Amino acid sequence: MAEALSPGAEAEGGPGTVAQHNGVAGCGSGAREPAGEADERAPAAAAAPAAAPDPGKRKKRRGGAGERVVPPPKKRRTGVSFGDEHFAETSYYFEGGLRKVRPYFFDFRTYCKGRWVGRSLQHVFSTEFRAQPLAYYEAAIRAGRLHLNEEPDNDFLRNTVHRHEPPVTAEPIRLLAENEDVVVVDKPSSIPVHPCGRFRHNTVIFILGKEHQLKELHPLHRLDRLTSGVLMFAKTALVSERIHEQVRDRQLEKEYVCRVEGEFATEEVTCREPILVVSYKVGVCRVDPRGKPCETVFQRLSYNGHSSVVRCRPLTGRTHQIRVHLQFLGHPILNDPIYNSSAWGPSRGRGGHIPKTDEELLRDLVAEHQAKQGLEVLDLCEGDLSSGPSDPIAPSSVLAKDNSEMMATAAQGVDGVIEAGPEHLDPPGTASETDDLNQETDPLCSECRLARQDPLPQDLVMFLHALRYKGPDFEYVSPMPPWAQDDWRED
């Protein structure tokens, strides 16, 4: 349901609206800069008669007389905060072996940052929400999609977007076990565990809630979106904490199976190469002496003359650890879209040999997947490329984690942005919130004007599967996938 806005909030929705922050002179009275002047003016704090703090630095407020206090954003426990009102935002349909989500309107909300003080909404969005051109945000302001300070005690920015989620496999999520403590499923490849990036309803958390009535689940571990296999959820916070303590104490054992290029060694192989994150945004890692210590034990199970099935036991839990170690060993996963890519150079990263800089590597990876219309593999959309594909290793980069929520709000999905309540908004000017046609189309949405080619279901499968998850008092195993069978042959 669309929120009812106060007249003041409507008046502040014009293109020249200035972002203000608590603790800055003039904010307490609710004063606003005149429309159209903010781009040329100094920050509002500079106009204060008294010495003003740096507007980019936010002072801690203790709630003195007459002062407003902005509470810090509450960290959402992924999965626990989702209920029926969220699951009802839209619906699924199935086509060509794919699970698809009907487009829908959704609110993203975030607290205003100190560095935005005295800047117009146009300037904030053109410099920090760069997933769309400025013309889009000007039209969104006129259409009532962007709202500032609707609640008098919070400096809050709300952005209504039209979300299009990428399709995932139509393969069902099978329940392996369920008791009073845990739910264990066999996750298909291509489905993220929880909402992230452009995915919300096409996630394990939402599918379990919508189709199996399993709600308020606590993820106990994560699998990459393209990885299939055993995935555990706790039903209570107490069980979640108990198992996480076992993780910290290294009491859990994980076992994976994969199919790799070439003939893997018959003897057991242990790889202890450190792994460094090249880009948090694109999601790429590599072996590097500056990286974090890692250890993975590999054992070949079979060889069919072209590729090998290998059992993997990661003894540490770094991002993409198995995939990066296999690439280093010269046996990347057969259909790994990142670590078996020609973007790494002629040797494809074997032995850590990468004849290019990190920036060149990221550029070439993005270009390769962009040409294949496969940016979702890198958890990117076209808007994310507007300021360049590479974010150096330092997470303080403008493209890195600290700023990802600002760029991705209009790109229709992000970790870390505070989500709105269960509003199921109509596009402005429409009468019914239940009209599927109204929900599925939006004159401001560039995605609505694109005709994207659907991936083939087989293209959504990567040959890496979580086979076993074992603890002091439990053990869960999923069936061996078809591609790991002895008689499997490449097409």
Side-chain angles (χ1 to χ4, degrees):
M1 179 182 296
E3 291 183 356
L5 303 179
S6 66
E10 292 288 354
E12 294 164 7
T17 301
V18 178
Q20 303 250 355
H21 203 287
N22 288 341
V24 178
C27 284
S29 64
R32 293 289 179 268
E33 294 287 340
E37 295 183 13
D39 286 337
E40 288 76 34
R41 293 173 62 99
D54 181 353
K57 294 182 180 179
R58 179 176 174 182
K59 276 192 169 184
K60 291 184 179 180
R61 311 298 293 184
R62 297 297 182 186
E67 292 182 343
R68 292 188 293 135
V69 177
V70 177
K74 293 182 179 179
K75 288 191 175 181
R76 175 169 47 80
R77 290 182 297 173
T78 306
V80 175
S81 59
F82 299 119
D84 290 335
E85 66 274 21
H86 304 102
F87 301 144
E89 290 164 349
T90 186
S91 60
Y92 302 116
Y93 66 103
F94 297 86
E95 183 178 69
L98 301 174
R99 176 190 293 268
K100 298 183 177 183
V101 174
R102 301 185 190 280
Y104 58 102
F105 285 87
F106 184 76
D107 273 359
F108 284 100
R109 294 180 176 181
T110 186
Y111 285 102
C112 294
K113 313 298 182 186
R115 63 180 178 271
W116 299 351
V117 173
R119 294 162 56 184
S120 69
L121 283 180
Q122 294 150 302
H123 191 248
V124 169
F125 274 87
S126 65
T127 56
E128 306 214 41
F129 292 89
R130 289 173 291 183
Q132 299 283 358
L134 179 60
Y136 167 83
Y137 294 116
E138 291 175 338
I141 291 172
R142 290 192 297 269
R145 304 288 181 86
L146 303 181
H147 303 270
L148 178 65
N149 282 351
E150 295 172 328
E151 302 175 15
D153 293 328
N154 288 300
D155 286 321
F156 228 63
L157 185 65
R158 176 165 70 89
N159 182 18
T160 301
V161 298
H162 194 235
R163 294 189 71 165
H164 291 247
E165 298 193 23
V168 298
T169 179
E171 183 181 342
I173 297 176
R174 297 191 310 109
L175 294 181
L176 297 175
E178 182 183 1
N179 55 41
E180 60 184 9
D181 292 333
V182 299
V183 173
V184 186
V185 303
D186 189 358
K187 182 185 96 66
S189 182
S190 81
I191 306 179
V193 174
H194 52 74
C196 58
R198 300 182 68 201
F199 296 89
R200 178 171 170 85
H201 288 263
N202 260 348
T203 60
V204 176
I205 284 282
F206 267 68
I207 294 171
L208 290 179
K210 291 161 75 90
E211 297 184 351
H212 297 271
Q213 289 71 54
L214 292 169
K215 305 162 189 174
E216 299 187 356
L217 299 177
H218 304 249
L220 294 174
H221 61 109
R222 296 184 180 183
L223 295 178
D224 291 342
R225 182 167 62 86
L226 294 178
T227 304
S228 58
V230 176
L231 181 62
M232 288 184 64
F233 298 90
K235 287 188 172 181
T236 67
L238 187 62
V239 173
S240 175
E241 179 55 34
R242 187 187 77 216
I243 295 181
H244 277 118
E245 186 174 345
Q246 295 172 356
V247 172
R248 291 190 292 270
D249 294 340
R250 303 256 180 132
Q251 299 181 44
L252 301 186
E253 299 177 16
K254 295 179 285 186
E255 183 178 325
Y256 293 75
V257 65
C258 62
R259 183 172 285 277
V260 304
E261 292 271 9
E263 185 176 4
F264 201 85
T266 55
E267 68 274 10
E268 184 176 275
V269 175
T270 300
C271 185
R272 297 186 177 90
E273 296 296 329
I275 292 178
L276 180 74
V277 177
V278 174
S279 168
Y280 290 100
K281 182 178 183 59
V282 181
V284 177
C285 305
R286 62 176 172 83
V287 165
D288 189 283
R290 297 171 294 167
K292 294 183 178 180
C294 304
E295 184 173 358
T296 315
V297 179
F298 300 101
Q299 178 65 62
R300 192 180 91 183
L301 300 180
S302 66
Y303 174 60
N304 68 359
H306 173 67
S307 59
S308 304
V309 175
V310 177
R311 182 177 61 199
C312 319
R313 290 190 296 114
L315 305 184
T316 50
R318 309 302 179 199
T319 301
H320 295 179
Q321 176 175 321
I322 292 173
R323 299 163 67 183
V324 173
H325 275 173
L326 285 168
Q327 180 196 48
F328 179 86
L329 294 172
H331 297 281
I333 292 173
L334 194 62
N335 60 349
D336 191 322
I338 296 178
Y339 299 102
N340 197 8
S341 163
S342 60
W344 295 84
S347 62
R348 303 205 174 198
R350 180 171 187 165
H353 179 63
I354 307 168
K356 56 184 69 177
T357 65
D358 288 344
E359 288 74 18
E360 291 170 337
L361 171 63
L362 293 172
R363 179 199 65 201
D364 293 346
L365 276 170
V366 169
E368 177 180 311
H369 290 284
Q370 194 172 22
K372 298 177 182 177
Q373 292 189 339
L375 288 175
E376 284 83 8
V377 168
L378 302 176
D379 292 325
L380 291 175
C381 62
E382 295 288 344
D384 294 332
L385 308 181
S386 57
S387 54
S390 63
D391 57 323
I393 296 167
S396 59
S397 162
V398 72
L399 291 181
K401 211 167 186 179
D402 179 60
N403 236 13
S404 63
E405 77 264 27
M406 304 319 306
M407 294 182 60
T409 295
Q412 305 170 353
V414 70
D415 283 327
V417 175
I418 299 172
E419 296 189 4
E423 293 89 358
H424 199 75
L425 298 180
D426 291 332
T430 61
S432 172
E433 66 181 3
T434 60
D435 187 334
D436 286 340
L437 180 62
N438 288 341
Q439 285 289 330
E440 292 184 36
T441 58
D442 174 21
L444 296 185
C445 178
S446 60
E447 281 284 322
C448 287
R449 298 189 291 273
L450 295 177
R452 295 190 182 275
Q453 183 177 356
D454 285 338
L456 297 174
Q458 57 267 32
D459 294 338
L460 298 177
V461 176
M462 184 174 69
F463 298 158
L464 178 61
H465 181 79
L467 190 65
R468 185 187 312 271
Y469 205 64
K470 182 179 180 181
D473 54 357
F474 64 83
E475 181 175 6
Y476 299 106
V477 181
S478 65
M480 194 75 85
W483 50 259
Q485 304 296 332
D486 293 341
D487 59 353
W488 183 86
R489 294 291 183 270
E490 289 91 337
D491 293 333

